[in-house]
Structures are given as structure tokens and as C-alpha cells.
Amino acid sequence: MSSSRRDRLVGAGTQVATEISINYGSSLAGLLIPVVGSLVVVAARQVVTAVVVLPFYRPRRAELTWRRLWPALALGVVLAAMNLSFYESVGRLGLGMAATIEFLGPFALALAGSRRWLDAGCAVAAAAGVLLLTATEGSVDPLGVVLALTAAASWAAYILLTRQVATRLPGLEGLSVASVVSTVLTVPLALIVIDYSRLDAQVLLLLLALGVLSSAVPYSLDTFILRRITPRLYAVITSFGPVVATVFGVIVLHERFSLVQLVGILIVCAAAGITIATQREQPRSELEQTAESIP
């Protein structure tokens, strides 16, 4: 086996492991939300994120200018909004449904500007999949759907802002600034609303595990992955995230899905995978180029 093929297999396998880590962490969030609330869950995750990425960033006072940092500051606001709306939707809809709806954000971004009939067909299929998921079995919390769509829009904005940050700030500097902003926005509020009587060793360990699985592991491995696989393959593997989320929703949270709902989830994932896999390979973006410069 050639070294390049071996690198691709290792990168793809690591990306699959990352998807498992993120969605297992989200399933732990589903256990914690009824106990401490989504705001506390988000705050805990952001604290872990800040601890992981800040060691890579040592700012100089001269670098702390509005013109240079505004995309990273905006990224921090979007990061807080994305996580808070997603975890709140998980508490109302369940992990599998919330993760599937949230994935419409990056999927819509992949479709933006496309003129192919295939992409139009995939968009219609994805909409039908979400309809099967949310409108065919029992009652669905409308606010939960709105929150999941908010998370989807925030995820799309996060991707766009990340591209901006990559052109202005090297390495993990932009993510470091964003994590500080998101932490400042969420932690003080979490300290106000938290019911301290609900905190015990088990809850604290689950909060720590959530942060490690959903933040520390993926952030530490993303650069390793992007050096070994193409952005297209990375996106195709990510498109199966809702399926992984559904599996953990069933195993960890004991969620139940009808056959129609499972078909809806698979349709959304298949539509995204087909759209991404059949697109022409684009030149490497500033984000991938920046990732390659991180030690």
C-alpha cells in the first residue's frame, strides 16, 4: 500500500472517529440538559474549548485591534448561538432529529450558487426527508424545530466566518479569540441560572467528558485529518453525522424513531453526500492552507 493511500485511510478513519466522538458527546449533553439546562452544558463545553486552544495563542497588545479581530469576535458570538440553540433543540426534539435539521445549514451552504439539476433534486430530497422526520409521526415541538433551524443557520455562518478568520489570523489564533468570546458570553449566565444542588461528582464528570469529546478531541484532530484527506472527503464523511447522532440517540438516550423517520434521516444524509461527492474539486481554501501551517 502506498504511503499516500495509507494517509488517506488513516485520515478518513480518524474523521469517522471524530464524528463518533462529537455525537457521543452530544448524547451526553442530552443526559445533562434535563439536570442542569442547556446553558450550563454550553458553558462547560466552551470552558473546555478555551482550555484546549488558548495554549496555542499568545497575543501581543499591538495585535489586539478591532480591524484585525472583528471576524473572530463575531465567530465567538455565532459559536455561542449555535451551541445554545442546538443543545436546547436536543432537549426538545431529541438528538437524532435535532442533528439532522441542524445539518441543513452546511448542506444549504454547499448548494449555494449551484446551477446543477442534480443539486436541485438533492435539495428537494433533503426537504422531503426533513418533512418525513418532523411531520409524519406524533407531535413535534415547533420551538424545537425553530431552534434546530437557528442552529443550522448559525453553523452556516460559522463556516463563512471561519473562512474570514483563516485569512486574517494564523493557526488557531482565530478559534482562540472566538472561544474566549463564547466563554465570556455563556459562563457568567450559566453561573447565575445553575442549580448548584444538582451538581455532584457524576454530573461534573459528564460535563467534563462532554467538553473533551465534543471540543478537545475534534479540535485537536482536525488539522491532522485535513493534512491527509481532501476537503470533499472530509465533507462527505461529515454528512453522515446525523446517522451517527441517531445511533447514539437510540443507544444512550433511548430515543425511538419510526421507520418513516429513519428513512427521512437517511434521505437527508444521502442528498448531502451525493451533492458533495459529485461537485468538482475546488482549490484549497485559506482554511485548509491555514490548517497545514499549524504544528
Side-chain angles (χ1 to χ4, degrees), residues 40-201:
V40 175
V41 169
V42 172
R45 176 174 172 176
Q46 291 311 130
V47 168
V48 174
T49 303
V51 170
V52 170
V53 300
L54 280 177
F56 294 94
Y57 177 45
R58 294 289 185 271
R60 293 189 295 269
R61 186 180 299 273
E63 296 176 341
L64 302 178
T65 62
W66 170 256
R67 183 176 181 180
R68 188 169 186 267
L69 295 180
W70 77 260
L73 298 175
L75 185 64
V77 175
V78 168
L79 185 61
M82 178 178 69
N83 286 331
L84 185 57
S85 57
F86 173 67
Y87 286 131
E88 188 65 27
S89 69
V90 169
R92 293 173 177 271
L93 301 176
L95 177 57
M97 188 177 295
T100 302
I101 297 174
E102 186 198 31
F103 188 71
L104 294 179
F107 179 41
L109 203 58
L111 291 173
S114 173
R115 298 180 180 178
R116 299 190 308 169
W117 284 106
L118 176 62
D119 291 340
C122 287
V124 172
V130 172
L131 186 63
L132 291 175
L133 179 63
T134 60
T136 58
E137 297 290 334
S139 59
V140 175
D141 188 330
L143 180 56
V145 174
V146 171
L147 288 166
L149 290 173
T150 301
S154 299
W155 193 355
Y158 176 86
I159 294 171
L160 294 174
L161 282 170
T162 299
R163 292 173 181 170
Q164 284 284 325
V165 169
T167 64
R168 294 169 178 261
L169 304 172
L172 289 176
E173 186 175 330
L175 181 59
S176 299
V177 174
S179 67
V180 169
V181 172
S182 186
T183 302
V184 169
L185 290 174
T186 57
V187 170
L189 293 176
L191 293 175
I192 293 173
V193 304
I194 190 172
D195 182 356
Y196 290 93
S197 66
R198 306 297 297 273
L199 295 180
D200 55 26

Side-chain angles (χ1 to χ4, degrees), residues 197-252:
S197 66
R198 306 297 297 273
L199 295 180
D200 55 26
Q202 182 179 12
V203 170
L204 292 174
L205 284 174
L206 284 175
L207 287 170
L208 177 61
L210 161 70
V212 171
L213 291 168
S214 297
S215 295
V217 170
Y219 288 147
S220 62
L221 292 178
D222 264 354
T223 301
F224 175 87
I225 294 167
L226 285 170
R227 286 172 174 166
R228 286 163 176 80
I229 64 176
T230 64
R232 177 191 292 175
L233 180 55
Y234 183 98
V236 169
I237 295 173
T238 301
S239 70
F240 291 95
V243 172
V244 180
T246 301
V247 170
F248 281 118
V250 172
I251 295 174
V252 178

Side-chain angles (χ1 to χ4, degrees), residues 6-16 224-225 228-229 237:
R6 183 166 53 248
D7 281 349
R8 285 196 299 272
L9 288 174
V10 170
T14 305
Q15 172 65 1
V16 171
F224 175 87
I225 294 167
R228 286 163 176 80
I229 64 176
I237 295 173

